[in-house]
Amino acid sequence: MSDLVAKNPRPGGPPNGPRGAETPVLACLSVLDRFLPVWIIAAMALGLALGRLIPGLDDALSAVEVGSVSLPIAIGLLLMMYPVLAKVRYSETGRIAADRRLLVSSLVLNWLVGPALMFALAWLLLPDQPEYRTGLVIVGLARCIAMVLIWNDLSCGDREAAAVLVAINSVFQILAFAALGWFYLQVLPGWLGLSTTSAQFSVGAIVVSVLVFLGIPLVAGFATRTLGERARGRAWYEGRFLPKIGPVALYGLLFTIVMLFALQGDAITSRPADVARIALPLLAYFVIMFAGSFVLGRAIGLNYAKTSTLSFTATGNNFELAIAVAIGTFGVTSGQALAGVVGPLIEVPVLVALVYVALWAGRRFFPGDPTVPVRASR
């Protein structure tokens, strides 16, 4: 991605508006971007190795929790999300709220298509594994409110649109998660003559998860931009301050990945055959959701930046919440919890690859769109 340039980049971040001359897109974030897939794979491997080689590490990491999430992972998530939300121009979110095409499409993809697709893939590919199947259904219901901001930034998506859609997903997560869990685990299987699963979801835990992992960095990001622009002006804030805190998001991402896989490393490495079976429906889900969302965005007339944002917010899942719900409901050693743990093992490398796909598709299918990053001249 290092040979891409943005036609209209923002100072301190990927392009979203008509400003500035051509500059390297990923250089606006951090030099880590040039080898991001390598660092992510290394972080996953390091986490798995730590989980296997250090006895009792998983117990130590989970000794203190925030909203049913291990404290080290919680810290990583907050570090990861704050710089991205500090980049958002909150004064421009009104234009996103007025775009009914984007909002309606996002709601349909996230809360109708996504859960239904995961339900279908789980039953199609894991008909003989009720625990893993249930775990995947829970994953399908947990819409992404964290890592999606990173993928959106790397693909040069619309940052304000991502903030609005993530906030909407958070509200729906609080209101609809338990009801949808009941529908997809008991009602719909009963209608189809399939076996049903009884599960009780803690609405309180979901509320705490959303308030902590979205609320805290959102308030911090809003306060930072408001106070920073008021004290020094927008030019200083976006040209000097944001480039300094930008790399923190990727450091937080890598730290979170190491901690997540260290916490669940033994579960992943002890059952490789089961991991492979769980991976198949997840891989199919990510590819189908992303491709379908991207085609939909192009079909309804969204520009590249909004189409990319729509695609990543519809494709990503909140695995932290899914794992917490599965462990709290079925136990830490359950198949449901393993299905949640395998989620980021597949999601992280696949969505990094889809960032490259989005950038390629933008140049190919959005000719003349000023929000599309283009290749630098050699």
Side-chain angles (χ1 to χ4, degrees), residues 72-158:
I73 294 178
I75 293 172
L77 289 172
L78 294 175
L79 289 174
M80 178 181 70
M81 294 182 68
Y82 163 68
V84 179
L85 290 169
K87 295 176 184 177
V88 172
R89 288 180 172 174
Y90 294 93
S91 60
E92 298 182 10
T93 54
R95 67 177 172 84
I96 304 301
D99 192 338
R100 293 185 178 181
R101 298 171 303 169
L102 178 64
L103 295 184
V104 172
S105 298
S106 179
L107 288 174
V108 170
L109 288 169
N110 274 285
W111 298 102
L112 294 179
V113 177
L117 176 62
M118 188 69 87
F119 174 88
L121 290 171
W123 273 98
L124 179 65
L125 298 176
L126 298 171
D128 58 333
Q129 297 290 340
E131 290 190 356
Y132 298 156
R133 191 173 61 236
T134 298
L136 288 181
V137 170
I138 294 173
V139 167
L141 299 178
R143 312 313 298 171
C144 195
I145 62 171
M147 286 188 182
V148 67
L149 296 174
I150 294 289
W151 314 136
N152 181 71
D153 243 25
L154 293 176
S155 67
C156 304
D158 189 309

